[in-house]
Amino acid sequence: MASVLSYESLVHAVAGAVGSVTAMTVFFPLDTARLRLQVDEKRKSKTTHMVLLEIIKEEGLLAPYRGWFPVISSLCCSNFVYFYTFNSLKAVWVKGQRSTTGKDLVVGFVAGVVNVLLTTPLWVVNTRLKLQGAKFRNEDIVPTNYRGIVDAFHQIIRDEGVSALWNGTFPSLLLVFNPAIQFMFYEGLKRQLLKKRMQLSSLDVFIIGAIAKAIATTATYPLQTVQSILRFGRHRLNPENRTLGSLRNVLYLLHQRVKRFGILGLYKGLEAKLLQTVLTAALMFLVYEKLAAATFTVMGLKRAAPKP
């Protein structure tokens, strides 16, 4: 119990939250482009920079940062929960022993499940707010009119029921493999490098963070597309598939995507997603490692070093 409620876990959680907020703020326009490519299937522009130019031209210079606050709020809460759970579970399970790739994967998976169940409502709301006011090519999309985070929660619960706040939970639970894979590769690569040197440089952390996220994103991208569509929840879907987030609906959306655009349609927006998530994850891990190390130094505490 002491390991779960430890000061060290809190430091990791705060450092992870601050790192993710910093990184997402820097690369936020790339996430805006990715979301448009995923949700608005009839958009003709295929590249990240062309989509961003279209958005700025049609919706204004600040449009790429639309929905920044709810996204950052959700991301801060989400990463705090994930980093706290991950490091707490790892402290309880490993207890100073040698960590392994398998243990990192399992701990990452469990932390991801906890994170999804607690924070999905925040992500549903921020997806809606981020796409509000967007000029869509797809006429099947029903526009929204929310005045902010609280109003969005109120309208969704009133018009669609409380369960709508967990739209996309099923693919999100499948997608816990994304951060699990990411942390597995990140921790594994870090252990390998620490065998050869006493500590990692900023460049080392940036590179292994980028590699880990690139692998995880590519492996799980089709489900991320379905997750975005379900969270948005404003498409006029087949009446037989109104249970958003069910396995049947996930398979239906994947099939429709392949039917319209071919297999490559499952990876529409991957360029923007890779560019955004890889750079964001790399910067996040860099800020996280430096902030955590600085905090432990200032507080005069010895950080638990990973065993190679």
Side-chain angles (χ1 to χ4, degrees):
M1 186 66 178
S3 297
V4 174
L5 300 177
S6 70
Y7 178 76
E8 185 175 338
S9 294
L10 181 62
V11 171
H12 283 296
V14 172
V18 173
S20 63
V21 166
T22 302
M24 177 57 88
T25 298
V26 173
F27 299 114
F28 193 81
L30 296 176
D31 191 55
T32 298
R34 180 271 310 175
L35 191 57
R36 295 293 181 90
L37 285 166
Q38 285 183 324
V39 172
D40 194 3
E41 298 99 335
K42 295 187 178 180
R43 185 176 288 276
K44 293 181 180 179
S45 295
K46 307 295 182 184
T47 60
T48 305
H49 73 281
M50 286 303 297
V51 171
L52 283 174
L53 287 174
E54 274 186 359
I55 292 171
I56 292 172
K57 182 180 178 180
E58 296 174 0
E59 303 169 34
L61 190 61
L62 295 179
Y65 275 91
R66 180 185 289 119
W68 173 84
F69 182 74
V71 170
I72 291 301
S73 302
S74 302
L75 192 66
C76 185
C77 294
S78 181
N79 276 279
F80 183 91
V81 170
Y82 190 90
F83 274 85
Y84 192 96
T85 307
F86 181 87
N87 285 284
S88 296
L89 291 175
K90 194 171 181 180
V92 170
W93 193 6
V94 176
K95 290 183 180 177
Q97 300 174 4
R98 177 177 300 184
S99 185
T100 65
T101 301
K103 286 182 180 179
D104 288 335
L105 183 62
V106 173
V107 170
F109 183 84
V110 175
V113 171
V114 172
N115 183 36
V116 165
L117 295 178
L118 291 178
T119 65
T120 290
L122 289 171
W123 288 110
V124 168
V125 167
N126 93 56
T127 300
R128 303 271 185 110
L129 289 171
K130 192 170 182 180
L131 290 169
Q132 184 166 278
K135 296 183 183 299
F136 294 109
R137 272 58 170 178
N138 188 350
E139 61 274 6
D140 290 336
I141 294 177
V142 182
T144 59
N145 185 27
Y146 304 129
R147 293 189 296 275
I149 296 176
V150 175
D151 184 55
F153 270 107
H154 173 71
Q155 285 196 43
I156 291 171
I157 293 172
R158 182 193 66 197
D159 300 337
E160 304 170 49
V162 175
S163 62
L165 291 173
W166 275 268
N167 281 353
T169 297
F170 186 79
S172 295
L173 286 172
L174 296 178
L175 278 169
V176 297
F177 281 109
N178 183 296
I181 292 170
Q182 175 187 346
F183 268 75
M184 178 185 73
F185 276 97
Y186 179 77
E187 294 288 333
L189 290 169
K190 190 163 73 170
R191 279 194 296 272
Q192 291 301 313
L193 286 177
L194 286 172
K195 287 180 180 179
K196 303 174 183 177
R197 61 194 78 176
M198 290 297 295
Q199 62 182 31
L200 302 182
S201 68
S202 297
L203 183 61
D204 291 332
V205 174
F206 191 88
I207 290 174
I208 63 176
I211 292 172
K213 190 60 178 180
I215 294 170
T217 297
T218 303
T220 59
Y221 189 75
L223 279 173
Q224 291 183 50
T225 299
V226 170
Q227 179 193 55
S228 294
I229 293 171
L230 291 173
R231 280 177 173 172
F232 186 40
R234 310 305 296 174
H235 288 73
R236 295 184 177 91
L237 296 176
N238 187 325
E240 297 180 359
N241 291 278
R242 290 307 302 173
T243 308
L244 297 178
S246 69
L247 176 60
R248 184 180 182 184
N249 215 20
V250 170
L251 295 175
Y252 169 78
L253 288 170
L254 287 172
H255 176 261
Q256 289 298 106
R257 198 84 175 180
V258 173
K259 187 177 178 181
R260 290 182 185 179
F261 309 106
I263 292 295
L264 292 180
L266 296 175
Y267 290 90
K268 187 177 180 184
L270 179 60
E271 175 204 0
K273 181 65 175 177
L274 277 176
L275 195 59
Q276 179 258 321
T277 56
V278 168
L279 292 174
T280 300
L283 183 56
M284 178 199 73
F285 277 119
L286 178 58
V287 175
Y288 158 68
E289 293 285 358
K290 296 301 180 184
L291 184 57
T295 304
F296 285 120
T297 301
V298 169
M299 299 304 294
L301 297 174
K302 185 178 179 181
R303 181 177 180 176
K307 292 191 176 184

